[in-house]
Amino acid sequence: MDILLQFFINALMLGAIYALAAVAYTLVYGILEMINFAFGELFMFGAFLVVSFMLPQVSLFGVMVPMPGLPFLLAAPLAILFVAAMGYLIERCAYRPLRFAPRLAPLITAIAVSVALQNLAQSVWGAQELSYPSFFLLEAKPIQIGGAYISMVEIAVIVTAAVVMTALHFYVKKTRMGRAMRAAAQDVEAAALMGIPVNRVIAMAFIIGSGLAALAGIFYGAVYLFAHPHMGFMPGLKAMVAAVLGGIGNIRGAMLGGIVLGFAETFGAAYLPNGSAYRDAIAFGILILLLLFRPQGLLGTRLPNRLADRGAMAFKGSASAIDAGLARLSAFFAGRDLVRYASWGVLAVVAVSVFFIFPSPYWARVFVFVLIYALLASGLNIVVGFAGLLDLGFVAFWAVGSYFTSILFVEVLAKGYGVDMSSVWWLFYVNLLLGGGLAALFGMMLGYPTLRLRGDYLAIMTLGFGEIIRLVATNWVDLTRGPMGIRGIPVPSLFGYKLGSPVQLYLLGLVLLALAVFLIALMVRSYLGRAWVAIREDEAAAEAMGINTARYKLYAYSAGGFFGGVTGVFFAHSQQYISPLSFTLFENILILMLIVLGGMGTLAGPIIGAAIWVVFLEVARDMPFIQQHHELRFMALGILLVVLMIFRPQGLLGQKRQPLMMS
Amino acid sequence: MTLKVENIKVAYGMIEALHGISFAVADKSVVGLIGSNGAGKTTALKAISGLLPLSGGRITLDGRDINGLAPEAIVKLGIVHVPEGRRIFPRMTVRENLDLGAFTRHRDATVERDLGWVYELFPVLKEREEQLAGTLSGGQQQMLAMGRALMSKPRLLMLDEPSMGLSPIMQDKIFDLAREINASGTTLLLVEQNARAALELATHAYVLDTGAIALDGKGSDLAHDERVRKAYLGEE
Amino acid sequence: MRKAFVYLTAAAALTALAALPVKAAEEVKIGFTAALSGDFAAYGENMQRGLELAIGEINAKTDNGGVTLAITTADDRGLPSDGVLIAQRFCSDDTVDIVMGYSFSSVALAAATIINDCQLPVLASAVTSPDLAGVSPYFRRNVLTDAVQGELAGTYAAKVLGAKRIAALNQQDDYGIGGTDAFVAAAKAAGAEILSREAYVLGTKDFKTQLTSIKAQTPDLLWVGGFYTEAAKIAQQARQIGLDVQILGSDGLLSPKLIELGGASIDGTILYGMFDPSVAKPEVQAFVKAYKDKYGEEPNAWAALAYDAGYTLNEAAKLAAAKNGKVDRAGLNAAFAEIKAVPGVTGPTTFQENGNREGTVVYLQVKDGKFILAPKQLN
Ligand SMILES: Nc1ncnc2c1ncn2[C@@H]1O[C@H](COP(=O)(O)OP(=O)(O)O)[C@@H](O)[C@H]1O
Ligand SMILES: [Mg+2]
């Protein structure tokens, strides 16, 4: 009984934190139908700022800076205000210029903002955990109820969350602005036609949402007594899951979703076999089940699929200095020449790569990675670029291919049956197909249940799938050797002749990439490709034209998965070692960014994006500033992408295609 | 109150939907805008209400440029657009919808008075005051959309296909109400595919064909025009 | 940039040898790699700091056998694939004589074949996977394997601390699993009962669920095979739910941050390590002071091991320079096999043939916000 009560208290506290952050996601989603991934980072900034304000001095950028040393009750509101302002600025500068853009654009920008903020925080506060300064709530003695304990912080979290939620409920129900917010959430355009200042309402949603995220982060930090640059990532994802659980866009749903998730996680970790290792997978597992059986969420109402002109719409705000500046820059970036230069760039990359590769095994190895990322990006590009479906679980296909061949070669054949791996060299080539096929099958399995879902739900679903595969690879130690990884995977060989040197791997990879691009080109030029593009441009219209959109979406997932799997097989054998650390969500985000960088929906874009990025990462290692702040490489990528989405959303190589309005 | 639309062009991305159209709406009049599906009628209304940016031309209200203003500013000037498909807020009550109609106004006795007037025009809304708007019938939703727009006390009310999807009886009722609203002093810009009813009501009408004005004239004249009868009234 | 440029000129002029930079014969260049960005950058940063401190001190010496040390760093993000790239980078860079660092065993394992092929010596200082033993004649580490550590700790728990009922928590990675496997086996062999064993992922914040279950089992010892970041939270949350149990932790706990993050809750915790920041040995005191002066924080096990690795390298380099008149990869590798009992803050360093370090651990206890030598040691 004591133990149950203790679980109950833990779950309620965790749920309250998730609920606060989930409301942030839901508020913004309700109006813009956009998942603001950056809330996870604003959550983290909340914790960092409150700690900074409370301490007498803090090391910022490695320099000790005196701080006011404020009491918690002053520091917390200040931090919340600060983060709310950040949220407003992000909305104003990064998202608002994209109101005209296709759906995917703000989503990708949000991810990029999130990456930039995470790495910014590491530059500012350093990589170490900052410990939470003690204050009255922490010093108070916990209350004992039977054998269960509840600390003052936990009580504060639960009570504050309840109060804030109630206040918010009244705000949206009773106030003028709150009502306007609800109206905008139900129909932005109609709201604008009623004279509701939609841009202001959206800004308000971001401000309130960011404040809530900060509050959640402050509490999270206070409960677990730390602040860290990456602390917001997982809770952010969980809060997003909670928002979807409750029915995204629905405030009461988000609260309920948060609590449900808190309970599911706590009790799942306690009572499922190996539950605590799989604890993060529990959240994603529930999410997938829910999306399968009740996609509108617990409290959401199933709405008729509203057509075209509901979501993103054009608001002509008053022209400001910012807009004027944006416009000028935009003219520069849109220049035709850039496309020409970029095409020359492809040739140049190939030419230069050859020049580098032969004299230096290192550069050959770098270009092996260019090829691996180019292959992955090309595969993902089928899903994202051609079919217009966001996929945040693509690394799972890569992992499936890698693990398939590694387990077969090392664990089954060599260790299980004592087969000499060099005698079955041909199996590598067979595995390229089998691994690809297996991944394609996974693609089908993933795609099938998600077909009924709208774009963003799909994104979250794939994200959940990717995380589950990674967690299984980490925790199913008997099958995958878990975090120890599998080593001793043989290099590819041909009739006993090893193809293990970097140059040989490069050439092999080049052949694979050429084949992949050729196959993708065939697909894209066929009816299949036209169907994908039709779905991307306007799903309803495609349906009306008689395209079985569900079927073609499935094909896109399988085709993308196939190339992911093939790459995985090549990757495992070229590296001779794999571990779950390679298949993270962050890698998935990187691959996505490569595509955006090069140009979504183009054949050369993913390759150029991969080349630029991988080479940049290597070249940047030598820059003096980077030698001190390695994380800046990733911050640069984040910022670059935000800028790119605004000024050149088609990527470096993409032709300026007809931008999709209102879809 | 005079609205003048001068040679406006509107594009969706690279595709131009309006190729430079002009028309005028005189004070207290009823102007009809008819044309087949996809002609650009909705686009024209959205341009006026500030939802879509112009790529050319200008829109003036009493000689003052209004293109470039945000939608809420245009509502404040007295131009209100009842969108195609009603677009009421389905998960709010009828009353809440009506209150939102008065969003731009100061809360005072005149708002209460106008609410009374709207309830007089549409008694069914009064009966269903506390019901969720999404549960109303199509005709009731159209009334709510019109009532909601009236709550902002418009000088110019733009109705986009108010009769769409309604039974003939309900259609007649909506047109009667439109006439009544006009009689109370509100100027109307009426977009319709149901050209017959629109032309009957309109003092002046314009025929829009693939983004350009093909014809214009007095409503009754157009109703007898050979080309209009063939193309839009389905007569031989 | 610079290197790319060098290759360009080299290839273009076809005078590769002449174009390559000629380095001072005695400059030993360290290629340092660890996770320096991403979730777990803190551990890599600690190592880099320890190593750079040692390099600074060594280069400041007036007579160091004509050897100076230089360093270039590369962030591997904790990714095996980056480990491969960086290995190749260091291999191809003739100026690099030795690779140091590695904050994750899987990164070192991925890099091992490449480094072996180019016969580049490695002196790692935080990777404990037994898989790395004998992985290459060029691979060495100055940290004990998790298997050795865990076994010592298991015996200590049962025999010295007299624990009968043990609950175990382990970090779900090679370090935590390997160490805890050995711990559990040794503790069982010494007569203790293992009540439960649960894994958590590095970076976990919430342990209340596991701790609540553990509390119900009434253990007399809680083993934590993991890092200080999580151990601090485990101790905090154990106190929050009223679980008052002796905690015994692995050497990943050995960091002043453990005390800072864990506050009063961590008091009494016992852990082991190869480095005792509290001992009055002058070299340890000097190290702790120098580290604090330079970085404004106290050193932890990662920093201490990297610092010692710097001195161990210096010994080998001096030996190689004395023998061959120059320091190159082969000479350095040979010298590593010869040097014995190089003094350091973590005790003397001697390498076994399989690259592992000989040595043992000391048991420490947290007392009033400080590490002290635990009253009972394993003899
Ligand atoms: N959101 C949109 N995106 C792209 N094209 C559009 C959009 N809305 C309308 N169009 C196009 O603009 C033209 C005019 O449409 P519309 O103004 O809705 O016509 P109407 O209201 O007369 O039926 C049509 O060709 C239509 O396809
Ligand atoms: Mg229309």
Side-chain angles (χ1 to χ4, degrees), chain C residues 217-281:
Chain C
Q217 300 158 0
T218 61
D220 55 12
L221 186 110
L222 173 60
W223 159 258
V224 179
F227 291 173
Y228 59 86
T229 31
E230 286 68 35
K233 295 182 183 68
I234 289 171
Q236 295 266 17
Q237 292 169 32
R239 302 302 175 252
Q240 281 173 17
I241 62 158
L243 167 61
D244 195 12
V245 64
Q246 173 68 51
I247 295 176
L248 173 66
S250 63
D251 67 342
L253 269 64
L254 180 45
S255 167
K257 276 265 171 191
L258 175 77
I259 297 170
E260 187 190 323
L261 294 168
S265 311
I266 203 75
D267 222 51
T269 296
I270 298 178
L271 59 145
Y272 63 80
M274 303 180 65
F275 158 68
D276 174 5
S278 71
V279 300
K281 280 198 233 158

Side-chain angles (χ1 to χ4, degrees), chain A residues 129 154 224 276 362 365, chain C residues 88-89 198 206 208 257:
Chain A
E129 282 191 359
E154 291 171 319
Y224 301 117
S276 43
Y362 163 54
R365 189 66 82 170
Chain C
Q88 197 83 58
R89 175 189 174 88
E198 285 209 63
D206 186 72
K208 289 196 177 166
K257 276 265 171 191

Side-chain angles (χ1 to χ4, degrees), chain A residues 176 182 186-187 313-314, chain B residues 46 51 87 91 96 103:
Chain A
R176 197 172 113 92
R182 266 195 315 143
Q186 291 180 28
D187 193 330
M313 51 165 294
Chain B
K46 284 186 174 178
L51 289 177
R87 309 284 285 272
R91 277 167 282 138
E96 282 178 314
F103 188 82

Side-chain angles (χ1 to χ4, degrees), chain A residues 43-92:
Chain A
F43 172 103
M44 172 264 295
F45 268 87
F48 262 120
L49 286 172
V50 83
V51 170
S52 300
F53 291 147
M54 282 165 74
L55 287 171
Q57 54 171 7
V58 175
S59 166
L60 301 178
F61 294 105
V63 181
M64 269 298 171
V65 178
M67 276 290 162
L70 299 176
F72 177 78
L73 286 181
L74 225 67
L78 202 61
I80 291 171
L81 282 180
F82 215 94
V83 172
M86 278 176 72
Y88 171 76
L89 279 179
I90 292 169
E91 197 281 318
R92 184 70 189 82

